[in-house]
Each structure stands twice: as C-alpha cells, then as structure tokens.
Amino acid sequence: MAHQADAKKSLDERGYTGALIHGDNPLKLFEKAVRDRIVDSYYWKEQCFGLNAATLLDRALELTFIGGTYGVAQKPTPFLCLAFKLLQLVPEREIIQYYLEQAGEEYKYLRALAAFYVRLAWEKDEDVYTTLEPYLSDSRKLKRRVREGWALTHVDDFVDELLVKNRVCATTLPKINPRVFLEDEDRLEPRVSALGDELEELDQEEEELEVDSGSEGEVEELPHGRANGIARTGSDGEVVSDEEMDGD
Amino acid sequence: MADRNGAYDTPGGGGGGGDTAFRRTWDRSEYAAKASARDQKIKDEGKLRYEASLAGKKYHARASTPPEGTHDTEARKQRLNVADLVGKQTIVVTGAGQGKRGKGAGFYCECCDLTYKDNLQFVEHLNSKAHLVAAGESGEVRRATLKDVHERFEYLKRKREEERSKEVVDLGARIEVAMEVEEREREEKRRKRNEKRRKTKDGLGVVEVKIENDGIIC
C-alpha cells in the first residue's frame, strides 16, 4: 500500500478515489483559497513532498508555532501545511492517537497538530469530545502566528477553541453538536471538570457577589457541575480573540 | 561554384561554427534512429491489429508498465542548498544553455539537464513526474505503520538529545566564539566602508544592490 508523494492527484476534483471524510475528499476541508496558498508555498513543495506518517514526525518536531495564514499575501504556516499533509495521508486512528498521547507528551506542537486533525477528520462527535477533553488540562504555552505578528496561547486554550469556535487556523471547522446536546441524548456523560469542587466554590462566591452588589452584566450564571468552557455562551474570557483570517 | 556552407557558416569556422556557435545543433543520426524505431512500432502494431480483426476480435494495446528498478520516493532528508552561491561570481559558458536546457546560470538539475532561474521553479521540477522518472523514483511513498511511527519517533528523540548534549555550555568557550564572530563582522564593515569612500570615475561610489532575502524564495 502506497500513497502519492505529492497531492496533485487528490487535489484534482474529478475522479477522487480514496478515503472520504464527511463524505468528501479530505482536502476539501480547507477552502480553495487556503488550499492554493498551501500548495504554492515553498515549505509545502520542499518539505512536505514525499512524507508519510513516520517522516512527518521529522517536520512536526521542528514546528515552533501554530497558526493559519498570515501576512498580506496569506502565507500559510508550516503548521497548516502539515495539517494539510495529514489530511492527504489520512493516517490510521492509532497513529493519530500516538501523536496525541505519547509523542505529544513531549512535543506540544505535535499535540496541537494532532488535535487539529482530530477535530477536522473524525466524524463521530463523541469521539472528538472524549479524545480532546483530557488535553483541557495541558497548560503548556504555544506560540501562535496571527495575521500581523504573534500571540501567546496555551494547549488547553487551543483545544477549547477547537471544541467551541467555528473557525480556527484559517479553516471553518466541520459542525459538531454542542456537548450539552450530546449529554441530553445520553451519548456522552456529563462533563466532570478538572476543577471539580473548586468550581462549586467559585459559583458560590459569584452568587454572593451578586447578592451584594446587585447583579451586573459581567457575572455569568454557570449551571452547577457543568463544564466551564463548553456550556458558556458569549463568554468574554478568551484572551486570544478572533485574529484569524479575514472573512471571519 | 558556391560554397557548400550555408549563408551563415563562415569558412574558417569549421562545422557550422564561427559566429553561430551559440545556436543549438541537432544530432541527425539520433533522430533518424528514433524515426525508424517509431515506424517499426507502427508497423508491428498494425500487424497485430490486422491479425486481431481477422480473428474477429479487437486489438487492445497493453498499457506500459512502469520501468523496473524504481524505488519508493522518500521525503528530503536535508533542506535544499539554494543559498550556496549567493554573492559569488562564477563564469558561465554562453552557449551551454538554451532556455531551460543545458547548464547555464542558476539552479541546475543533472539528471534532466535543465537549469532554473529560481529556487521555487527548481523545487517544483524536482517534484515533477519527469524528474522522478529520470532519477529512478516511482513517485509513490510507502505507507507507514504504527511501528514505523514509533521507531521514527524514538530515533528522532535520541538524535535531538544527542545534539543538545553536544552543545558547548562552557562560558569561556562561548565568549571566545562570540568575540571571533564580532571581529569578523567588524572587518567586513570596515572593508565595505572603505569601498564606499573610494571615489569612482563618475564620483558616485560603488552602488550596493540589495535584493530581498538575497533573491531566495522561501
């Protein structure tokens, strides 16, 4: 079993025969504009040619920042190019899990890359949630390239974005059901936050504040025992706001 | 009697040489051989078709199998060396290259005898089917198994740790190295400053042309 060294055949819209993700060519998860930028970039042509799931590690371990496209000319980041390569290769589940768990334990950018792939490619919502949620406690710092300049984020921040936001790293993520919905359907267990008891105490403090000062718009009512990142809507707690590609 | 040479051939030039040495010459015998081989192939195929039609069947041409001895394509182990000749002056034979063919100024591919003016075009060529065939690669990559991924990861981890341990941490040595680098840079600056100050014929000095990133596309 072999796959092509470059993506020309898979990019050709006609007659694609290969693994399907969400019922279509995996490469179509990226928009045409982004796909073109990636394929025309020097990084893709020089370093992403002829990679397979093992040699991709060479490149992934050298990553030093995450990001989508940046600059006036919408130059793709190496992170984005490698994600595109993963979509072309469609590695086995166990390989991606290896990237996430064991290899990602030591190399955080590889973990971010694998998490991005999981969110894009895995079709069952429950799998996405159960696989990515453990990393909501990984607080290592990540460097992120934004349209103009750099930003600081963390692994758990990034994973949270993947689970909550619509658009991350120059791609519109495929729709998944919100966690609340899945819990109602009994497909998932209600989330046990890593904060655990501290969350209850926090809620109590906020309620007290509310009683004292008369509620202001800032204090949010968090339902007890629920996820703190997922169930919140319209939260203003995100440090890294929408600095992604235009057209957000 | 008019000379056998053509209008552009000078008698002293020899064999179409002289003024026209830069023009491309064709090896007639090679092309004659190619033409006769093609004719032969057409004849053979025609014969097969005729026999097939006699038997009442249709002749199907067999698709050519990829040449034997091709090995799997692999990713590049090192970055392409494109910044080597930046700032250096080399002498290039004028007649050596026609368009992309032949060795001219720029990035040269030996397998295919092509020159590219641009590192982007060069790397595109290296990825192209034509070059892979010329280099004996099949253009297919072996699929990796979980075991391969494991091994590769362990190997890379080990290599990185070795490199990290090899780094010189001794402060004294680092100071020396830094001082040497600084000296070298100072010399370069001094030299450039002197060159600029030196007056040229029209009194403008030496013009420094700076291209973004030394002209290398990345």
Side-chain angles (χ1 to χ4, degrees), chain B residues 92-157:
Chain B
V92 174
V93 185
T94 37
Q98 281 280 346
K100 284 196 295 193
R101 265 185 292 257
K103 179 164 178 45
F107 303 102
Y108 179 64
C109 172
E110 279 145 353
C111 316
C112 317
D113 193 31
L114 293 168
T115 316
Y116 292 93
K117 300 279 192 284
D118 195 344
N119 67 324
L120 189 59
Q121 288 179 10
F122 182 53
V123 83
E124 261 179 25
H125 163 74
L126 293 180
N127 294 351
S128 69
K129 194 72 184 175
H131 176 82
L132 292 179
V133 165
E137 297 199 354
S138 68
E140 287 186 353
V141 188
R142 202 175 60 88
R143 213 177 163 81
T145 58
L146 184 58
K147 196 162 83 80
D148 292 334
V149 173
H150 264 290
E151 283 173 14
R152 188 85 193 174
F153 182 65
E154 297 300 322
Y155 161 71
L156 286 170
K157 208 168 74 169

Side-chain angles (χ1 to χ4, degrees), chain B residues 190-207:
Chain B
R190 213 172 291 155
R191 193 180 58 82
K192 283 212 174 146
R193 222 185 313 140
N194 288 342
E195 251 188 51
K196 272 204 190 140
R197 286 231 196 93
R198 216 180 297 138
K199 290 207 168 82
T200 57
K201 263 188 265 180
D202 32 23
L204 285 173
V206 179
V207 179

Side-chain angles (χ1 to χ4, degrees), chain A residues 34-47:
Chain A
V34 177
R35 262 185 280 155
D36 287 344
R37 298 283 180 279
I38 293 175
V39 171
D40 292 337
S41 71
Y42 189 69
Y43 184 83
W44 173 263
K45 291 185 177 164
E46 190 202 12
Q47 307 223 45

Side-chain angles (χ1 to χ4, degrees), chain A residues 143-205:
Chain A
K143 197 164 159 189
R144 182 185 214 149
R145 187 100 206 219
V146 287
R147 186 131 44 103
E148 306 288 336
W150 302 88
L152 173 69
T153 181
H154 302 79
V155 177
D156 48 6
D157 241 338
F158 183 62
V159 172
D160 187 49
E161 277 185 30
L162 287 175
L163 292 175
V164 174
K165 277 180 150 190
N166 276 336
R167 233 181 122 71
V168 167
C169 286
T171 8
T172 308
L173 303 173
K175 291 223 178 324
I176 46 167
N177 294 311
R179 204 175 200 291
V180 196
F181 181 75
L182 292 176
E183 286 173 18
D184 290 342
E185 290 224 319
D186 276 332
R187 278 150 71 175
L188 271 182
E189 299 292 314
R191 178 156 172 258
V192 180
S193 167
L195 288 176
D197 292 333
E198 282 183 38
L199 200 57
E200 307 240 349
E201 291 171 27
L202 270 174
D203 290 343
Q204 284 176 0
E205 280 175 43

Side-chain angles (χ1 to χ4, degrees), chain B residues 36-88:
Chain B
S36 60
R38 182 166 169 265
D39 284 338
Q40 185 64 31
K41 205 169 91 154
I42 291 178
K43 228 203 271 184
D44 290 337
E45 214 184 295
K47 211 191 296 185
L48 288 169
R49 279 188 204 271
Y50 177 64
E51 287 166 10
S53 69
L54 282 183
K57 295 193 167 76
K58 186 172 176 206
Y59 169 73
H60 294 279
R62 270 283 172 78
S64 60
T65 50
E68 298 297 315
T70 52
H71 51 269
D72 279 330
T73 307
E74 277 179 7
R76 294 196 173 83
K77 298 218 170 45
Q78 284 115 12
R79 303 289 307 266
L80 276 177
N81 209 344
V82 291
D84 239 4
L85 295 176
V86 170
K88 296 207 175 55

Side-chain angles (χ1 to χ4, degrees), chain A residues 86-192:
Chain A
L86 275 179
L87 284 176
Q88 184 208 335
L89 298 179
V90 191
E92 282 101 32
R93 233 178 151 81
E94 28 183 39
I95 294 184
I96 297 293
Q97 272 168 339
Y98 179 73
Y99 283 175
L100 252 187
E101 293 166 31
Q102 289 101 323
E105 192 58 43
E106 303 181 39
Y107 296 97
K108 49 193 180 179
Y109 290 101
L110 176 59
R111 181 168 274 176
L113 181 66
F116 190 42
Y117 179 79
V118 166
R119 176 63 176 89
L120 286 173
W122 286 10
E123 304 186 0
K124 288 183 75 180
D125 299 349
E126 306 93 74
D127 288 340
V128 174
Y129 279 112
T130 45
T131 318
L132 290 184
E133 269 165 12
Y135 305 107
L136 286 171
S137 53
D138 182 348
S139 59
R140 294 180 287 184
K141 292 190 197 168
L142 291 176
K143 197 164 159 189
R144 182 185 214 149
R145 187 100 206 219
V146 287
R147 186 131 44 103
E148 306 288 336
W150 302 88
L152 173 69
T153 181
H154 302 79
V155 177
D156 48 6
D157 241 338
F158 183 62
V159 172
D160 187 49
E161 277 185 30
L162 287 175
L163 292 175
V164 174
K165 277 180 150 190
N166 276 336
R167 233 181 122 71
V168 167
C169 286
T171 8
T172 308
L173 303 173
K175 291 223 178 324
I176 46 167
N177 294 311
R179 204 175 200 291
V180 196
F181 181 75
L182 292 176
E183 286 173 18
D184 290 342
E185 290 224 319
D186 276 332
R187 278 150 71 175
L188 271 182
E189 299 292 314
R191 178 156 172 258
V192 180

